[in-house]
Amino acid sequence: LARSPSVSRLAMAAIANAAVSSLTSPDAKKEEFRKYLERSGVIDALTKVLVGLYEEPEKPSNAIEFIKMTLGAPTGVDVDQLKAENETLRAEAARLREKVGALEEKLGGAAAEE
């Protein structure tokens, strides 16, 4: 069977479209992400913070801390310490749950004997 020129043109067009879409895919993903940031208010919030930093008469020595503070992030918090404390408390809670379960079994067994 001989292929018609229109079939090969269609195949070439499909290949070209696939190549173009793969090249524009990162741009499309960037645009989708930008729209997401815009819809969620991130762009507006960052713009306000950066304008505030720009308009600050005396520029702070640590711009990142200024941005965190302006966005409402807690300052002076030791995240690693909080994570360690959280892990310790989770372990303690698990130990106490086991103890409660054992005591409930013991109590249930004592009530059954009576």
Side-chain angles (χ1 to χ4, degrees), residues 8-21:
S8 63
R9 281 190 209 135
L10 288 175
M12 291 301 284
I15 292 170
N17 284 338
V20 169
S21 68

Side-chain angles (χ1 to χ4, degrees), residues 34-76:
R34 187 196 61 75
K35 287 179 181 178
Y36 160 73
L37 292 175
E38 192 172 332
R39 281 192 312 269
S40 61
V42 172
I43 292 177
D44 287 338
L46 289 176
T47 301
K48 288 176 186 176
V49 169
L50 293 174
V51 167
L53 179 60
Y54 175 78
E55 293 175 346
E56 193 69 26
E58 292 184 31
K59 302 296 182 237
S61 60
N62 189 337
I64 296 293
E65 286 302 316
F66 175 87
I67 291 170
K68 286 180 181 179
M69 182 186 72
T70 305
L71 286 174
T75 56

